[in-house]
Amino acid sequence: MPEKKNILLKLFISTLYLSAFTFGGGYVIVTLMKKKFVDGYHWIEEDEMLDLVAIAQSSPGAIAVNGAIVIGYKLAGLAGALVSILGTILPPFVILSVVSAFYTTFRDSFLVSQMLEGMQAGVGAVIAAVVYEMADGVLHSHSLLSNCVMLAAFLASCILQINVIYIILACGLLGITKAFYRKRRTSAA
């Protein structure tokens, strides 16, 4: 049991730290979670992290919280999910409470507006890095179907301007169909 307590403590501190020092939304925290849990602690494999991110992204709600839930649950069950949720939502809750209490002061501050504008460029770069790493992972899976789905989803979203919800649903249905087909093939063999 000390091992599980250790994992829960590391999970809480990691998600608290990532959430407290991540600006720019869920896609930014996904990269940092990968670096912490895949590259740093080696708790999760890279392919598995991509699967967990896909689950988090296709679920309703904030991707940072959803990502923390699936990673926490994978590592330590329900307790891990609860600990990672707490670690993820605590910093934004505190920060937003302070900001809302002093909103009128912050609203007109030139320094705050310039700081936020500068942060936008950094956030854009981090999101671009996330996209590159995820696409690289799919391309290196050597699955023709995955590569075609990624290209089709990109074209549907960026060129055809199809709503992302429909793209995610179509990709999910395709994944389910692929899983049933594989299961049926192995059962028949």
Side-chain angles (χ1 to χ4, degrees):
M1 200 60 154
E3 179 64 28
K4 187 169 184 176
K5 282 186 178 181
N6 189 26
I7 288 175
L8 290 174
L9 180 63
K10 278 185 172 180
L11 188 60
F12 176 75
I13 290 171
S14 297
T15 54
L16 184 78
Y17 174 80
L18 292 173
S19 184
F21 296 105
T22 303
F23 295 92
Y27 294 106
V28 176
I29 202 168
V30 166
T31 300
L32 299 175
M33 283 180 167
K34 181 211 173 272
K35 287 180 181 168
K36 179 67 83 177
F37 300 124
V38 175
D39 301 336
Y41 291 145
H42 305 288
W43 285 347
I44 302 172
E45 296 295 321
E46 190 165 347
D47 291 344
E48 195 172 19
M49 181 71 185
L50 285 172
D51 292 341
L52 296 175
V53 169
I55 292 168
Q57 184 178 8
S58 60
S59 302
I63 191 169
V65 176
N66 291 346
I69 290 169
V70 294
I71 289 172
Y73 188 80
K74 161 74 174 113
L75 295 174
L78 185 59
L82 294 173
V83 162
S84 62
I85 290 170
L86 185 62
T88 303
I89 65 171
L90 203 55
F93 177 75
V94 171
I95 292 168
L96 288 175
S97 296
V98 170
V99 168
S100 66
F102 298 103
Y103 176 72
T104 55
T105 305
F106 289 138
R107 179 182 60 194
D108 299 326
S109 171
F110 176 76
L111 182 62
V112 170
S113 69
Q114 293 303 303
M115 180 183 71
L116 292 173
E117 191 175 313
M119 289 169 57
Q120 287 177 353
V123 167
V126 172
I127 291 173
V130 170
V131 170
Y132 174 77
E133 286 182 18
M134 291 179 74
D136 190 50
V138 171
L139 289 172
H140 284 91
S141 71
H142 302 293
S143 166
L144 179 62
L145 179 62
S146 295
N147 292 337
C148 290
V149 168
M150 181 177 66
L151 179 62
F154 175 78
L155 294 173
S157 176
C158 294
I159 306 297
L160 301 176
Q161 301 293 314
I162 295 174
N163 190 319
V164 176
I165 293 170
Y166 299 127
I167 295 169
I168 291 171
L169 289 174
C171 291
L173 288 173
L174 185 63
I176 291 169
T177 304
K178 181 181 171 184
F180 280 127
Y181 178 74
R182 276 188 182 170
K183 186 175 183 178
R184 187 180 235 185
R185 260 180 62 192
T186 57
S187 297

